Amino acid sequence: FNMRKSVAILAFVLSARSSSALTNVVVSCRVDDMSSCTAAHIESAEEPLLPLGVPEEVYGTGSAAAYDDVIAIAAPSSLHPDDLYYEDSLMLTRPLLIFADWLHKRGGLRAGGKRYGVRFSWVGDGSSAVQVANATARAMRNARARFAFSGYSSGLTWFAAQQSAADGLLMLSAGSAATTVFAQNNLTFGLYPPASMYTASGLEAIAA
């Protein structure tokens, strides 16, 4: 891991990313089966629809006045306790709260001669393929995000990553392992090993 190179890339993205046309990724499913879902990329001036009262959360410690700028990072997440991936989503969001506290206690992130704080924003995806792209769009646009994170599951991230790419944002996923998610564009990156290696690595461990 090259920290110096990563900071240089961050500084470039912060200064050079241009806005893209407003494109909404609209997902439709024939039945309650994610494999039947398809996505259409639609140019529109309208914000995508979400259920009334969809949960939203924001976390960023420290005062914005204490930094030259604040890096907004947005994501969809299963925020309601009744959501299928609620418990899994907690395992993704809680470390980010810890990271924000850790970073701000150390004076923020230094890049390009400036100091940056961070702010995380989440919009509820309902663990739904139909809802996740809309939640991703709202989270990113309302927060004026510079980067995106995914929620949990490869199936949901497949659509969320299409929306973040349509908005021109780099997405980091810590909750998906299907290589197809990352092969669909050059702005989506992951932390899991490929799903195809799960069984192989287990068998190798047993054989050893």
Side-chain angles (χ1 to χ4, degrees), residues 40-100:
H41 292 226
I42 300 174
E43 300 290 331
S44 174
E46 300 294 329
E47 288 296 324
L49 296 176
L50 284 168
L52 190 64
V54 65
E56 301 187 27
E57 295 181 4
V58 177
Y59 189 81
T61 57
S63 168
Y67 304 97
D68 295 301
D69 200 356
V70 175
I71 302 171
I73 304 170
S77 186
S78 298
L79 299 176
H80 196 281
D82 291 337
D83 291 341
L84 178 63
Y85 298 130
Y86 176 70
E87 296 292 338
D88 301 290
S89 295
L90 288 178
M91 291 189 289
L92 297 181
T93 57
R94 285 174 174 171
L96 298 179
L97 309 185
I98 296 171
F99 168 73

Side-chain angles (χ1 to χ4, degrees), residues 14 64 66-71 114-118 146:
L14 291 175
Y67 304 97
D68 295 301
D69 200 356
V70 175
I71 302 171
K114 295 183 178 181
R115 288 197 314 124
Y116 296 88
V118 295
R146 286 168 167 165

Side-chain angles (χ1 to χ4, degrees), residues 20 80 84 144 158 161 193:
S20 59
H80 196 281
L84 178 63
R144 300 176 64 87
W158 167 260

Side-chain angles (χ1 to χ4, degrees), residues 127-205:
S127 299
S128 164
V130 174
Q131 187 170 322
V132 68
N134 295 7
T136 304
R138 177 179 290 185
M140 294 187 303
R141 295 169 187 173
N142 284 4
R144 300 176 64 87
R146 286 168 167 165
F147 300 93
F149 277 8
S150 79
Y152 182 79
S153 100
S154 295
L156 296 184
T157 304
W158 167 260
F159 298 113
Q162 292 182 44
Q163 183 63 68
S164 58
D167 278 34
L169 268 64
L170 183 150
M171 172 177 276
L172 179 64
S173 172
S176 54
T179 54
T180 52
V181 169
F182 309 102
Q184 63 180 327
N185 62 62
N186 62 0
L187 288 174
T188 308
F189 300 86
L191 301 178
Y192 281 5
S196 58
M197 295 181 62
Y198 284 4
T199 304
S201 59
L203 292 175
E204 289 173 0

Side-chain angles (χ1 to χ4, degrees), residues 104-123:
H104 291 130
K105 286 178 181 178
R106 285 158 179 78
L109 175 68
R110 291 172 172 81
K114 295 183 178 181
R115 288 197 314 124
Y116 296 88
V118 295
R119 182 178 65 250
F120 293 100
S121 300
W122 297 274
V123 173

